[in-house]
PDB file of all heavy atoms in Angstrom:
ATOM      1  N   ARG A  22       2.945  28.978 -11.976  1.00  0.00           N
ATOM      2  CA  ARG A  22       2.159  30.073 -11.430  1.00  0.00           C
ATOM      3  C   ARG A  22       2.933  30.636 -10.255  1.00  0.00           C
ATOM      4  O   ARG A  22       3.292  29.935  -9.326  1.00  0.00           O
ATOM      5  CB  ARG A  22       0.799  29.551 -10.960  1.00  0.00           C
ATOM      6  CG  ARG A  22      -0.087  30.607 -10.370  1.00  0.00           C
ATOM      7  CD  ARG A  22      -1.460  30.029 -10.099  1.00  0.00           C
ATOM      8  NE  ARG A  22      -1.421  29.030  -9.060  1.00  0.00           N
ATOM      9  CZ  ARG A  22      -1.735  29.269  -7.793  1.00  0.00           C
ATOM     10  NH1 ARG A  22      -2.085  30.461  -7.406  1.00  0.00           N
ATOM     11  NH2 ARG A  22      -1.706  28.299  -6.909  1.00  0.00           N
ATOM     12  N   GLY A  23       3.199  31.920 -10.289  1.00  0.00           N
ATOM     13  CA  GLY A  23       3.968  32.555  -9.221  1.00  0.00           C
ATOM     14  C   GLY A  23       3.141  32.776  -7.988  1.00  0.00           C
ATOM     15  O   GLY A  23       1.942  32.967  -8.054  1.00  0.00           O
ATOM     16  N   PHE A  24       3.799  32.769  -6.852  1.00  0.00           N
ATOM     17  CA  PHE A  24       3.124  32.993  -5.579  1.00  0.00           C
ATOM     18  C   PHE A  24       3.644  34.257  -4.909  1.00  0.00           C
ATOM     19  O   PHE A  24       3.530  34.411  -3.710  1.00  0.00           O
ATOM     20  CB  PHE A  24       3.367  31.803  -4.627  1.00  0.00           C
ATOM     21  CG  PHE A  24       2.596  30.575  -4.998  1.00  0.00           C
ATOM     22  CD1 PHE A  24       3.197  29.567  -5.720  1.00  0.00           C
ATOM     23  CD2 PHE A  24       1.273  30.447  -4.647  1.00  0.00           C
ATOM     24  CE1 PHE A  24       2.500  28.439  -6.060  1.00  0.00           C
ATOM     25  CE2 PHE A  24       0.558  29.315  -4.985  1.00  0.00           C
ATOM     26  CZ  PHE A  24       1.169  28.311  -5.694  1.00  0.00           C
ATOM     27  N   GLU A  25       4.249  35.167  -5.686  1.00  0.00           N
ATOM     28  CA  GLU A  25       4.824  36.362  -5.097  1.00  0.00           C
ATOM     29  C   GLU A  25       3.753  37.168  -4.376  1.00  0.00           C
ATOM     30  O   GLU A  25       2.658  37.338  -4.880  1.00  0.00           O
ATOM     31  CB  GLU A  25       5.467  37.260  -6.171  1.00  0.00           C
ATOM     32  CG  GLU A  25       6.571  36.590  -6.957  1.00  0.00           C
ATOM     33  CD  GLU A  25       6.044  35.785  -8.138  1.00  0.00           C
ATOM     34  OE1 GLU A  25       4.946  36.072  -8.630  1.00  0.00           O
ATOM     35  OE2 GLU A  25       6.747  34.846  -8.525  1.00  0.00           O
ATOM     36  N   GLY A  26       4.088  37.662  -3.220  1.00  0.00           N
ATOM     37  CA  GLY A  26       3.193  38.514  -2.471  1.00  0.00           C
ATOM     38  C   GLY A  26       2.113  37.755  -1.710  1.00  0.00           C
ATOM     39  O   GLY A  26       1.323  38.367  -1.017  1.00  0.00           O
ATOM     40  N   GLN A  27       2.067  36.450  -1.817  1.00  0.00           N
ATOM     41  CA  GLN A  27       1.066  35.676  -1.102  1.00  0.00           C
ATOM     42  C   GLN A  27       1.702  35.049   0.139  1.00  0.00           C
ATOM     43  O   GLN A  27       2.884  34.757   0.158  1.00  0.00           O
ATOM     44  CB  GLN A  27       0.508  34.562  -1.975  1.00  0.00           C
ATOM     45  CG  GLN A  27      -0.281  35.050  -3.151  1.00  0.00           C
ATOM     46  CD  GLN A  27      -0.823  33.881  -3.955  1.00  0.00           C
ATOM     47  OE1 GLN A  27      -0.700  32.728  -3.554  1.00  0.00           O
ATOM     48  NE2 GLN A  27      -1.420  34.180  -5.084  1.00  0.00           N
ATOM     49  N   GLU A  28       0.875  34.861   1.132  1.00  0.00           N
ATOM     50  CA  GLU A  28       1.333  34.152   2.313  1.00  0.00           C
ATOM     51  C   GLU A  28       1.527  32.683   1.948  1.00  0.00           C
ATOM     52  O   GLU A  28       0.725  32.126   1.204  1.00  0.00           O
ATOM     53  CB  GLU A  28       0.296  34.259   3.439  1.00  0.00           C
ATOM     54  CG  GLU A  28       0.239  35.623   4.074  1.00  0.00           C
ATOM     55  CD  GLU A  28       1.503  35.968   4.824  1.00  0.00           C
ATOM     56  OE1 GLU A  28       2.040  35.117   5.545  1.00  0.00           O
ATOM     57  OE2 GLU A  28       1.971  37.109   4.668  1.00  0.00           O
ATOM     58  N   PRO A  29       2.577  32.035   2.463  1.00  0.00           N
ATOM     59  CA  PRO A  29       2.732  30.617   2.148  1.00  0.00           C
ATOM     60  C   PRO A  29       1.607  29.807   2.787  1.00  0.00           C
ATOM     61  O   PRO A  29       1.101  30.156   3.838  1.00  0.00           O
ATOM     62  CB  PRO A  29       4.088  30.255   2.761  1.00  0.00           C
ATOM     63  CG  PRO A  29       4.374  31.319   3.755  1.00  0.00           C
ATOM     64  CD  PRO A  29       3.632  32.547   3.316  1.00  0.00           C
ATOM     65  N   ALA A  30       1.219  28.758   2.099  1.00  0.00           N
ATOM     66  CA  ALA A  30       0.195  27.863   2.628  1.00  0.00           C
ATOM     67  C   ALA A  30       0.740  27.188   3.881  1.00  0.00           C
ATOM     68  O   ALA A  30       1.951  27.015   4.014  1.00  0.00           O
ATOM     69  CB  ALA A  30      -0.166  26.825   1.579  1.00  0.00           C
ATOM     70  N   PRO A  31      -0.138  26.796   4.813  1.00  0.00           N
ATOM     71  CA  PRO A  31       0.338  26.199   6.058  1.00  0.00           C
ATOM     72  C   PRO A  31       1.101  24.899   5.844  1.00  0.00           C
ATOM     73  O   PRO A  31       1.858  24.488   6.702  1.00  0.00           O
ATOM     74  CB  PRO A  31      -0.944  25.949   6.862  1.00  0.00           C
ATOM     75  CG  PRO A  31      -2.045  26.059   5.891  1.00  0.00           C
ATOM     76  CD  PRO A  31      -1.573  26.880   4.744  1.00  0.00           C
ATOM     77  N   TRP A  32       0.923  24.250   4.707  1.00  0.00           N
ATOM     78  CA  TRP A  32       1.605  22.987   4.467  1.00  0.00           C
ATOM     79  C   TRP A  32       2.959  23.174   3.797  1.00  0.00           C
ATOM     80  O   TRP A  32       3.651  22.216   3.543  1.00  0.00           O
ATOM     81  CB  TRP A  32       0.723  22.048   3.646  1.00  0.00           C
ATOM     82  CG  TRP A  32       0.290  22.605   2.330  1.00  0.00           C
ATOM     83  CD1 TRP A  32       0.974  22.532   1.152  1.00  0.00           C
ATOM     84  CD2 TRP A  32      -0.891  23.313   2.050  1.00  0.00           C
ATOM     85  NE1 TRP A  32       0.278  23.160   0.162  1.00  0.00           N
ATOM     86  CE2 TRP A  32      -0.889  23.644   0.681  1.00  0.00           C
ATOM     87  CE3 TRP A  32      -1.981  23.709   2.813  1.00  0.00           C
ATOM     88  CZ2 TRP A  32      -1.918  24.351   0.082  1.00  0.00           C
ATOM     89  CZ3 TRP A  32      -3.003  24.406   2.206  1.00  0.00           C
ATOM     90  CH2 TRP A  32      -2.953  24.715   0.860  1.00  0.00           C
ATOM     91  N   VAL A  33       3.326  24.417   3.490  1.00  0.00           N
ATOM     92  CA  VAL A  33       4.630  24.698   2.893  1.00  0.00           C
ATOM     93  C   VAL A  33       5.566  25.134   4.009  1.00  0.00           C
ATOM     94  O   VAL A  33       5.267  26.045   4.764  1.00  0.00           O
ATOM     95  CB  VAL A  33       4.519  25.792   1.809  1.00  0.00           C
ATOM     96  CG1 VAL A  33       5.883  26.107   1.231  1.00  0.00           C
ATOM     97  CG2 VAL A  33       3.556  25.360   0.720  1.00  0.00           C
ATOM     98  N   GLN A  34       6.692  24.468   4.106  1.00  0.00           N
ATOM     99  CA  GLN A  34       7.637  24.760   5.173  1.00  0.00           C
ATOM    100  C   GLN A  34       8.323  26.100   4.919  1.00  0.00           C
ATOM    101  O   GLN A  34       8.638  26.451   3.782  1.00  0.00           O
ATOM    102  CB  GLN A  34       8.691  23.669   5.269  1.00  0.00           C
ATOM    103  CG  GLN A  34       8.126  22.330   5.671  1.00  0.00           C
ATOM    104  CD  GLN A  34       9.177  21.240   5.655  1.00  0.00           C
ATOM    105  OE1 GLN A  34      10.262  21.411   5.138  1.00  0.00           O
ATOM    106  NE2 GLN A  34       8.831  20.106   6.214  1.00  0.00           N
ATOM    107  N   ALA A  35       8.549  26.832   5.998  1.00  0.00           N
ATOM    108  CA  ALA A  35       9.260  28.101   5.898  1.00  0.00           C
ATOM    109  C   ALA A  35      10.679  27.847   5.391  1.00  0.00           C
ATOM    110  O   ALA A  35      11.309  26.855   5.743  1.00  0.00           O
ATOM    111  CB  ALA A  35       9.292  28.779   7.258  1.00  0.00           C
ATOM    112  N   GLY A  36      11.167  28.734   4.560  1.00  0.00           N
ATOM    113  CA  GLY A  36      12.525  28.613   4.047  1.00  0.00           C
ATOM    114  C   GLY A  36      12.652  27.701   2.832  1.00  0.00           C
ATOM    115  O   GLY A  36      13.718  27.568   2.253  1.00  0.00           O
ATOM    116  N   VAL A  37      11.555  27.062   2.447  1.00  0.00           N
ATOM    117  CA  VAL A  37      11.553  26.170   1.289  1.00  0.00           C
ATOM    118  C   VAL A  37      10.928  26.950   0.135  1.00  0.00           C
ATOM    119  O   VAL A  37       9.968  27.691   0.337  1.00  0.00           O
ATOM    120  CB  VAL A  37      10.733  24.891   1.593  1.00  0.00           C
ATOM    121  CG1 VAL A  37      10.605  24.010   0.376  1.00  0.00           C
ATOM    122  CG2 VAL A  37      11.374  24.133   2.737  1.00  0.00           C
ATOM    123  N   PRO A  38      11.449  26.806  -1.077  1.00  0.00           N
ATOM    124  CA  PRO A  38      10.850  27.527  -2.204  1.00  0.00           C
ATOM    125  C   PRO A  38       9.358  27.208  -2.331  1.00  0.00           C
ATOM    126  O   PRO A  38       8.929  26.095  -2.095  1.00  0.00           O
ATOM    127  CB  PRO A  38      11.614  26.993  -3.429  1.00  0.00           C
ATOM    128  CG  PRO A  38      12.878  26.426  -2.881  1.00  0.00           C
ATOM    129  CD  PRO A  38      12.576  25.980  -1.476  1.00  0.00           C
ATOM    130  N   GLN A  39       8.602  28.220  -2.702  1.00  0.00           N
ATOM    131  CA  GLN A  39       7.167  28.060  -2.876  1.00  0.00           C
ATOM    132  C   GLN A  39       6.878  27.128  -4.052  1.00  0.00           C
ATOM    133  O   GLN A  39       7.645  27.080  -5.004  1.00  0.00           O
ATOM    134  CB  GLN A  39       6.508  29.418  -3.121  1.00  0.00           C
ATOM    135  CG  GLN A  39       6.593  30.345  -1.918  1.00  0.00           C
ATOM    136  CD  GLN A  39       5.835  29.791  -0.732  1.00  0.00           C
ATOM    137  OE1 GLN A  39       4.657  29.527  -0.821  1.00  0.00           O
ATOM    138  NE2 GLN A  39       6.511  29.605   0.384  1.00  0.00           N
ATOM    139  N   PRO A  40       5.780  26.392  -3.995  1.00  0.00           N
ATOM    140  CA  PRO A  40       5.422  25.503  -5.106  1.00  0.00           C
ATOM    141  C   PRO A  40       5.272  26.291  -6.407  1.00  0.00           C
ATOM    142  O   PRO A  40       4.777  27.409  -6.407  1.00  0.00           O
ATOM    143  CB  PRO A  40       4.083  24.912  -4.677  1.00  0.00           C
ATOM    144  CG  PRO A  40       3.989  25.146  -3.214  1.00  0.00           C
ATOM    145  CD  PRO A  40       4.811  26.354  -2.913  1.00  0.00           C
ATOM    146  N   ALA A  41       5.696  25.685  -7.482  1.00  0.00           N
ATOM    147  CA  ALA A  41       5.640  26.345  -8.784  1.00  0.00           C
ATOM    148  C   ALA A  41       4.286  26.168  -9.448  1.00  0.00           C
ATOM    149  O   ALA A  41       3.975  26.875 -10.396  1.00  0.00           O
ATOM    150  CB  ALA A  41       6.741  25.782  -9.684  1.00  0.00           C
ATOM    151  N   SER A  42       3.476  25.233  -8.985  1.00  0.00           N
ATOM    152  CA  SER A  42       2.190  24.967  -9.621  1.00  0.00           C
ATOM    153  C   SER A  42       1.178  24.527  -8.575  1.00  0.00           C
ATOM    154  O   SER A  42       1.532  24.161  -7.452  1.00  0.00           O
ATOM    155  CB  SER A  42       2.344  23.875 -10.677  1.00  0.00           C
ATOM    156  OG  SER A  42       2.636  22.639 -10.048  1.00  0.00           O
ATOM    157  N   ASP A  43      -0.073  24.542  -8.981  1.00  0.00           N
ATOM    158  CA  ASP A  43      -1.130  24.052  -8.098  1.00  0.00           C
ATOM    159  C   ASP A  43      -0.932  22.568  -7.800  1.00  0.00           C
ATOM    160  O   ASP A  43      -1.179  22.111  -6.685  1.00  0.00           O
ATOM    161  CB  ASP A  43      -2.500  24.263  -8.735  1.00  0.00           C
ATOM    162  CG  ASP A  43      -2.978  25.705  -8.666  1.00  0.00           C
ATOM    163  OD1 ASP A  43      -2.382  26.496  -7.902  1.00  0.00           O
ATOM    164  OD2 ASP A  43      -3.942  26.032  -9.371  1.00  0.00           O
ATOM    165  N   THR A  44      -0.493  21.825  -8.795  1.00  0.00           N
ATOM    166  CA  THR A  44      -0.264  20.389  -8.604  1.00  0.00           C
ATOM    167  C   THR A  44       0.788  20.158  -7.531  1.00  0.00           C
ATOM    168  O   THR A  44       0.597  19.351  -6.622  1.00  0.00           O
ATOM    169  CB  THR A  44       0.153  19.720  -9.927  1.00  0.00           C
ATOM    170  OG1 THR A  44      -0.869  19.938 -10.891  1.00  0.00           O
ATOM    171  CG2 THR A  44       0.390  18.235  -9.745  1.00  0.00           C
TER     172      THR A  44
END
Side-chain angles (χ1 to χ4, degrees):
R22 180 173 67 98
F24 286 98
E25 301 85 24
Q27 294 181 7
E28 287 294 317
W32 57 87
V33 178
Q34 295 176 347
V37 175
Q39 294 296 303
S42 68
D43 284 346
T44 302

